[in-house]
Each structure stands twice: as structure tokens, then as C-alpha cells.
Amino acid sequence: MEMALDAYADASNDALLVLYGNGDPMAAELLTRRLAPRVLGYAARLLGGDRAEAEDVTQEAMLRLWKIAPDWRTGEAKVSTWLFRVVSNLCTDRLRKRRTVDIDAIDEPADDTPGAVDRMIQADRAAALQAALNSLPDRQRIAVTLRHIEGETNPDIAQIMDISVEAVESLTARGKRALAKALASQREELGYGKD
């Protein structure tokens, strides 16, 4: 099976989606291997670390991708851009439904990895960052996450969020300032020292 997947290794996401839309299940398998881990990580960050809910969002987003595959219009959008937009919308919907839940009452997800000091420091840093991200307004959190964690470009983020590039720049700048302010008092505690 790996041999057959290797035949598609150099194919673009766009080409793989078109192949799947034309009935090729191998293309879907490779596209899933490429995109699902990034989508899952993105959804988990937007949903405050709730992995189970992020898995549900990932599954729903991938199902939507497969449904539109036969009608995909090459060149109108990148597959990843379209998928991140769907995930953003699904997560926003879930977060709105949660608003009645006290965020402080939700337990932090347990870390099943061994208790090495480096892993503990990274976990503390990740938890502090997630808490700071959770404090941002939805649109700032989405923009900052896409830009600085997922590595998307401002034009792609603008397309995902259906806003202008200037609005993306404004949201990410305000989001970064708010994160810096939220995390400033924890620098030493998180092992960053005074500099």
C-alpha cells in the first residue's frame, strides 16, 4: 500500500482532491495523512486543548472536504485554506455553544508523557500560552493561531477568515500585544529569565 501512495507523493493537495473527486480512494488517504494532523492541532488549540472535540471537528471538516471533492474548482482556493476556514467556523460554533460553561471549571487536559523536566517546562509554557490564547477574542485567537502557530500567510488567513489582509495584520498585532501582556508576569516562572 505504501508503494501505491508513493506514486502520489509529489502531487499537490489540489491534484489529490481532484483525483479523489474522480473516484481515487488512494488520493484521499494521502490527502488525509497530509492535512488531518495539522487540522487536528489547529482545532485543539482553538478549542482550548479539548482533543476529543478537536477530533470531532477534524472528522467533520474532512467529511465536508470529501463531499465537495467532485465539485472542486481548481485555482479558486488552496485546499488547506478552505479546510482551515471550515475548521475555524466549526470551532467558533462549538465555542459559542460552550459560552454558558464556566471556562475555569474545565480541567486542563492530562499530559500522559513521562515526567522529564524539559517536558514539564514545555507543558507549563504550552498551558500558559493556551490560557493566554483563550483570553483573546475569537477573531484574534483565530488570526494569531493561523499566523504564528500554523504558519499560514496573511493572504491565506484573510481568505480563511473572509476579511482583508489589513484586518488580519491588525488582528494579529493586537493579539500578539495582548498575549505579551498576559504572559509578561510569568516569564521567570516559565523559565525565560528576566531578559
Side-chain angles (χ1 to χ4, degrees):
M1 182 117 162
E2 286 299 323
M3 185 77 139
L5 287 176
D6 289 344
Y8 295 128
D10 294 331
S12 69
N13 292 345
D14 208 41
L16 290 172
L17 188 59
V18 169
L19 284 169
Y20 173 73
N22 291 326
D24 187 340
M26 296 289 279
E29 184 175 343
L30 183 57
L31 196 55
T32 300
R33 287 184 184 192
R34 280 185 189 173
L35 298 176
R38 285 186 65 205
V39 167
L40 177 62
Y42 175 59
R45 282 186 284 282
L46 291 185
L47 294 168
D50 186 335
R51 181 133 177 123
E53 198 163 7
E55 287 172 358
D56 289 346
V57 165
T58 300
Q59 183 177 11
E60 175 66 25
M62 295 305 291
L63 285 172
R64 289 184 184 191
L65 182 64
W66 304 140
K67 285 180 184 176
I68 61 103
D71 301 320
W72 184 258
R73 292 187 299 267
T74 304
E76 286 189 19
K78 289 180 4 184
V79 173
S80 59
T81 301
W82 183 92
L83 196 56
F84 275 120
R85 184 171 186 173
V86 169
V87 170
S88 296
N89 291 338
L90 289 170
C91 288
T92 298
D93 290 346
R94 286 175 182 252
L95 289 169
R96 284 184 183 139
K97 289 178 186 173
R98 275 194 203 167
R99 294 276 192 239
T100 58
V101 176
D102 179 15
I103 295 293
D104 294 328
I106 299 173
D107 292 332
E108 288 293 319
D111 184 9
D112 297 331
T113 58
V117 173
D118 287 341
R119 289 191 187 264
M120 289 172 50
I121 290 171
Q122 288 302 320
D124 287 346
R125 289 175 177 175
L129 177 60
Q130 187 63 59
L133 280 170
N134 290 347
S135 71
L136 295 178
D138 290 344
R139 291 168 47 90
Q140 283 182 19
R141 181 175 53 252
I142 290 169
V144 168
T145 301
L146 284 169
R147 180 73 186 109
H148 296 289
I149 297 176
E150 295 301 327
E152 293 293 321
T153 64
N154 286 349
D156 285 346
I157 297 168
Q159 195 171 11
I160 291 167
M161 296 181 70
D162 196 24
I163 58 175
S164 69
V165 172
E166 293 78 17
V168 170
E169 292 167 354
S170 175
L171 286 169
T172 55
R174 286 184 287 151
K176 281 174 53 180
R177 282 193 302 271
L179 286 175
K181 185 177 178 182
L183 295 170
S185 65
Q186 301 175 50
R187 287 185 59 77
E188 279 190 62
E189 179 183 324
L190 296 172
Y192 288 113
K194 293 183 181 183
D195 41 300

